[in-house]
Amino acid sequence: MNRRSGLGLTLGVLLVVYVFNFLDRQIMTILAEPIARDLGLNDTEIGVLTGLSFALLYSTLGLPIARLADRPTTDRVKLIAAAVAVWSVATALCGGARSFVQLAVARVFVGVGEAGGTPPAHSLITDVAAPEKRARAFALYQLGPPIGGLIGMVLGGFLAGTLGWRTAFVAVGLPGLALALLVVLLLRDPRRSGGQAAQAAALPLGEALRQILASKAMRLLLTTAGFASFATYGVLIWTTIFFQRSHHLTPAETGLWFGLVNGLGSILGVWLGGQIGDRHRARGNQHLLTVPALTQMLSVPFLLAALLMPDWRVSMALFFPAVVFNWIYVAPYYSAVQGLVPPASRAVASAAILLLQNLIGLGFGPVLLGFCSDLLKPGYGAESVRYVLFIAGLVSLVAGLLLWRARRYLPAELDRHAGA
């Protein structure tokens, strides 16, 4: 499979995998409120289930799995297929949980499976996409989270209202087993065909991390990962609860309306980011991140305004541009990451990003915001969630400033390993 002919098929299949990845991961978000009522959970425990329980092993296993993916002898396609099978079974098992502990354990194994999905996928995409088309390639792949999140919210809210949250987990989990088989049947790792990527020796983990951290731009992008994901996951998880508590929408209504706002907004943002990134990069490498940095900061005033609106319809309308601006950075960001590291360290670089994104953003972000919500409840009651979401907005502003700072190092560092 050569670079040009394999790009379309590879991106198509990996996009579907990523959709399932986020569908299984994020369905917990819309189901959190009925689960909390059924199992008698507080907001801190909701934060653990939606974030920390999933992110703990997802984050820590990412680096060793990425090290495996970077080995020339590893079949990355089979690695991805195995990961899909594991997280799909674990998602279905969430439906059988009878306590907080049982549900948390099942979520841990969802994270174990999903740890094997993204790092080898990023490595595959970089092998088959030319540098000048890489932002658009990553834009297509990164449509997986918003599409999966949209389906998860709408479908999860519908199933929770009709068949219950337990059936919802089973319904979205089991189809992943068929997807795992399709991945093996449809894709082939280009390294198995004796291509150039097969000749690159995998670096020891310590050496790979040393080369990654040698880049000033990469150090800033690693820091950005934690801040940006804290804001994104904080808004995604707690806004669904905000609309149910502060605006008294049902899970089905929240899943439909916020699912559409967040899903369509993030899809548009990711697509625009890919177009903008490749187009502006032609004017100079630093401009790969110029617009993403600005739009990340511009998302904040729209978010804060949305939280202050008394009418849920106006609030939803203001959330849309906030989501679009927040997601524009994604494709140029990953394009920059993959262009800053040697080929033998690409999966490790992705895993390092995911470690920070998920441990800080998805892992501790929801727990911290949930803890703050519990602290504010005596004084603000159900409105406590509204005010903790302001924290997520301010963190997003920091992420935009870090992206702006990283721009200055791209002219000297981006694609300097292209001939490796």
Side-chain angles (χ1 to χ4, degrees), residues 16-38:
V16 176
V17 169
Y18 213 10
V19 167
F20 272 74
N21 179 301
F22 254 73
L23 170 60
D24 288 6
R25 182 190 312 186
Q26 293 302 124
I27 191 170
M28 175 67 75
T29 301
I30 192 61
L31 299 179
E33 194 70 356
I35 291 171
R37 290 195 299 266
D38 191 12

Side-chain angles (χ1 to χ4, degrees), residues 1 9-21 75-85 87-88 116-117 120-121 124 141 175-189:
M1 181 172 67
L9 179 61
T10 300
L11 287 175
V13 174
L14 292 180
L15 171 60
V16 176
V17 169
Y18 213 10
V19 167
F20 272 74
N21 179 301
D75 189 323
R76 291 168 291 184
V77 169
K78 291 181 179 178
L79 181 59
I80 293 170
V84 174
W87 85 56
S88 299
L124 277 172
Y141 176 68
L177 295 176
L179 177 61
L181 179 61
L182 286 175
V183 170
V184 175
L185 293 176
L186 293 176
L187 292 188
R188 182 177 177 83
D189 191 325

Side-chain angles (χ1 to χ4, degrees), residues 63-77 79 119-120 123 127 189 191-192 197-205 208 343-348:
L63 284 173
I65 291 176
R67 175 73 179 89
L68 177 63
D70 276 333
R71 290 179 180 172
T73 55
T74 298
D75 189 323
R76 291 168 291 184
V77 169
L79 181 59
S123 180
D127 277 353
D189 191 325
R191 295 193 305 212
R192 316 308 289 178
Q199 308 304 318
L203 295 173
L205 180 58
S345 302
R346 284 169 177 163
V348 171

Side-chain angles (χ1 to χ4, degrees), residues 55-68:
L56 195 59
L57 283 182
Y58 178 86
S59 302
T60 55
L61 285 176
L63 284 173
I65 291 176
R67 175 73 179 89
L68 177 63

Side-chain angles (χ1 to χ4, degrees), residues 106-304:
R107 286 285 289 172
V108 165
F109 279 95
V110 175
V112 169
E114 295 196 6
T118 302
H122 281 185
S123 180
L124 277 172
I125 291 170
T126 307
D127 277 353
V128 298
E132 65 273 12
K133 297 182 179 179
R134 200 167 286 156
R136 278 171 284 187
F138 274 104
L140 180 59
Y141 176 68
Q142 291 296 146
L143 289 175
I147 294 174
L150 170 59
I151 296 172
M153 283 196 182
V154 176
L155 181 61
F158 171 77
L159 291 175
T162 55
L163 301 176
W165 64 267
R166 298 184 184 279
T167 302
F169 278 118
V170 176
V172 302
L174 291 183
L177 295 176
L179 177 61
L181 179 61
L182 286 175
V183 170
V184 175
L185 293 176
L186 293 176
L187 292 188
R188 182 177 177 83
D189 191 325
R191 295 193 305 212
R192 316 308 289 178
S193 301
Q196 183 178 358
Q199 308 304 318
L203 295 173
L205 180 58
E207 176 63 17
L209 290 173
R210 188 193 67 77
Q211 290 196 3
I212 290 168
L213 294 174
S215 164
K216 293 179 181 179
M218 205 42 206
R219 293 199 295 269
L220 284 165
L221 293 181
L222 284 166
T223 308
T224 303
F227 284 97
S229 62
F230 184 103
T232 299
Y233 283 119
V235 170
L236 178 63
I237 290 170
W238 287 104
T239 300
T240 60
I241 297 172
F242 159 71
F243 277 111
Q244 292 175 66
R245 292 185 186 175
S246 296
H247 292 290
H248 310 293
L249 300 185
T250 66
E253 290 170 333
T254 304
L256 174 61
W257 293 110
F258 187 66
L260 288 171
V261 166
N262 186 73
L264 296 177
S266 50
I267 288 170
L268 178 59
V270 170
W271 181 81
L272 285 173
Q275 305 302 310
I276 290 169
D278 282 340
R279 185 173 303 169
H280 283 251
R281 178 181 175 168
R283 298 167 46 207
N285 283 344
Q286 72 273 22
H287 293 301
L288 179 62
L289 294 179
T290 297
V291 174
L294 294 172
T295 53
Q296 186 72 13
M297 291 183 278
L298 282 172
S299 69
V300 177
F302 286 98
L303 170 64
L304 300 182

